[in-house]
Amino acid sequence: MSSSPLALTLADLLLRPGFGSRRDPDRVFERIAADAGQAPGDEQFVDDFRSLLGWWAKAENLTPVGWQSAQAFVRRHLANRARVRRLIAEHPEIEREPIERPVFVVGLPRTATTVTHAVLSLSDEHRSPLLWELLAPDLELPPRQRRKAITTGRRMVQGTDLFAPRFRDIHAMVAEGPEECTFALPHALMPFSQARIPEYRDWHRERDFVPDYRYLKQVYQVLQYGRPCRRWVLKSPMHLENLDALRTVFPDATIVWCHRDPVTAVASFCSLIEHGMAVSSRPLDLTGIGATWLDLLSRAMTRGLAARAAIPAEQLVDAPYSWLGSDPVAGAPKLYSAVGARWTDAEAARLPGAVARPKGSRPHRYDLARYGLPRAQVESAFADYNALRAEVDRA
């Protein structure tokens, strides 16, 4: 990669005086938790984030901006949890809001999950969470507070674009656009995209994710309360490893599984991680990125394939990359038909905007070898998945 953007270098210099606080993460956490508030009986949720911040503080090659990002991540999740639980305590009927037949877009990252989500979000009959809503889930806000919340989302996107200019070329974010559940799920894989945290990885492997998905449902019930009831269209590649937990909480969900050659997907995703991680960790260990994410993604796929066997055929849609990656005009109507939705002239008119690359973005180029991963190793790790892909292609 090229040298760090000047803005990132200056931010690290400005934040360096507070960098020493990572030597006492418990003290930092207590301040964050006090500011965020805590609902009675939520000690376990809070303690889990205490552990995460402690492990994150010890991460190798963490930068001052990286330490600030870790604190912001924990602060946001604690504050959102406290708000959601407070709102439910004040309005118990929120938990009776029906989240019926939601659509979840899953699959390895870089398999067109984002564009699939965007296309499904075109319908006025569908409801997708917007980035600014996921950053601070709440009831319908007065205009002034709504504008403030949207501005906060825009600033987050602007900060990403400023510190990691190439990130937008790979995965553009828009504050008022549909975004993935990862921002609301308490313990998805997002921290691993910012730092190497081996203790968290071990903890993550043993976690029961059903409580996380129950909380995710509450987030969407809060966002639905007092508003028109539409079919939720949701997305995250990280759902792949937790399909059992997802279906325990959302038993009538339709799963749209996006497919692409895993060699291409892993190479592309490692490039995404490299550009994002450069903000919070330096120097970067490119071989470490490759090894870490091949392990995480192949494990997620193994778990996903095991859970797939129990998904009723009528609730499972296989979406080849060619549907939207090669010929979206032909593929989008197929996608809508497969999930039982109406494809009309209105959606067709909006389609070009949903599949277009962001204005001014550059082509994304990547190389698997850059991350120390031989093609044969990736193909071996995803051998069972490649057999499934061959079946999907023949169907």
Side-chain angles (χ1 to χ4, degrees):
M1 282 188 64
S2 59
S3 58
S4 300
L6 177 60
L8 179 58
T9 301
L10 291 175
D12 275 327
L13 287 172
L14 289 172
L15 293 172
R16 185 159 292 281
F19 194 38
S21 66
R22 72 177 182 145
R23 290 191 291 268
D24 191 358
D26 270 343
R27 182 177 179 181
V28 174
F29 183 84
E30 288 298 337
R31 184 177 68 250
I32 292 172
D35 291 343
Q38 178 183 344
D42 216 20
E43 290 78 13
Q44 186 62 58
F45 185 94
V46 173
D47 284 346
D48 287 345
F49 275 94
R50 180 192 299 275
S51 297
L52 171 57
L53 189 66
W55 294 326
W56 209 328
K58 297 186 295 181
E60 296 177 2
N61 303 329
L62 192 68
T63 65
V65 167
W67 177 230
Q68 190 71 22
S69 297
Q71 295 173 69
F73 180 90
V74 170
R75 182 180 298 108
R76 176 169 62 81
H77 278 286
L78 292 184
N80 287 346
R81 172 76 166 201
R83 185 186 317 105
V84 167
R85 286 177 63 88
R86 173 179 57 77
L87 290 171
I88 290 174
E90 294 172 355
H91 309 278
E93 62 273 21
I94 287 175
E95 287 197 287
R96 295 195 292 273
E97 283 288 327
I99 308 295
E100 295 177 339
R101 297 172 52 250
V103 176
F104 280 88
V105 179
V106 308
L108 289 174
R110 313 304 297 163
T111 57
T113 55
T114 298
V115 70
T116 299
H117 187 215
V119 169
L120 286 170
S121 300
L122 294 175
S123 173
D124 291 334
E125 297 175 359
H126 294 166
R127 167 77 156 100
S128 294
L130 308 180
L131 175 58
W132 71 269
E133 294 177 312
L134 289 168
L135 292 175
D138 209 332
L139 303 183
E140 190 71 57
L141 296 172
R144 184 176 180 181
Q145 286 181 252
R146 179 187 174 91
R147 288 194 296 271
K148 184 177 179 181
I150 293 172
T151 298
T152 299
R154 288 174 178 169
R155 285 175 178 163
M156 193 213 79
V157 172
Q158 290 166 355
T160 301
D161 292 345
L162 184 65
F163 289 165
R166 288 302 314 278
F167 195 88
R168 180 175 177 270
D169 298 334
I170 309 170
H171 180 76
M173 294 187 294
V174 179
E176 294 164 270
E179 196 45 81
E180 62 183 56
C181 304
T182 310
F183 285 94
L185 268 174
H187 294 286
L189 298 177
M190 190 176 283
F192 300 114
S193 68
Q194 299 185 47
R196 183 175 178 273
I197 316 174
E199 301 93 340
Y200 188 54
R201 181 184 60 198
D202 295 342
W203 178 88
H204 195 271
R205 288 179 183 274
E206 302 301 321
R207 183 169 178 77
D208 174 9
F209 282 90
V210 171
D212 285 3
Y213 280 87
R214 287 184 178 137
Y215 169 61
L216 184 68
K217 181 178 180 179
Q218 290 176 331
V219 167
Y220 295 134
Q221 287 174 317
V222 164
L223 292 176
Q224 181 171 285
Y225 182 68
R227 297 152 176 161
C229 199
R230 293 178 284 165
R231 189 182 188 188
W232 282 93
V233 175
L234 309 165
K235 169 250 177 176
S236 174
M238 304 312 166
H239 290 316
L240 190 61
E241 68 169 344
N242 296 318
L243 288 178
D244 282 338
L246 185 157
R247 295 192 63 249
T248 295
V249 178
F250 302 95
D252 61 347
T254 295
I255 306 298
V256 175
W257 191 318
C258 296
H259 297 284
R260 191 184 191 186
D261 175 14
V263 170
T264 303
V266 170
S268 178
F269 189 62
C270 284
S271 175
L272 175 72
I273 293 297
E274 176 187 350
H275 287 280
M277 201 171 187
V279 173
S280 54
S281 297
R282 284 196 308 277
L284 286 178
D285 176 4
L286 298 182
T287 300
I289 288 175
T292 294
W293 283 99
L294 180 60
D295 173 63
L296 291 172
L297 295 177
S298 61
R299 179 178 182 272
M301 180 58 73
T302 297
R303 288 168 58 89
L305 290 175
R308 177 186 172 97
I311 302 176
E314 65 272 16
Q315 291 178 234
L316 179 62
V317 175
D318 287 308
Y321 187 79
S322 59
W323 274 15
L324 297 178
S326 303
D327 190 2
V329 172
K334 291 181 188 177
L335 177 64
Y336 268 61
S337 176
V339 301
R342 297 187 308 138
W343 180 258
T344 71
D345 290 344
E347 286 76 42
R350 298 167 184 160
L351 180 63
V355 300
R357 289 184 58 83
K359 187 176 181 180
S361 63
R362 294 178 287 176
H364 179 208
R365 296 183 173 88
Y366 42 87
D367 180 5
L368 191 66
R370 179 174 175 82
Y371 307 100
L373 295 174
R375 181 184 184 95
Q377 184 181 359
V378 178
E379 289 178 339
S380 175
F382 291 96
D384 290 343
Y385 172 58
N386 279 329
L388 169 65
R389 275 203 319 122
E391 292 180 13
V392 170
D393 288 342
R394 286 194 298 268

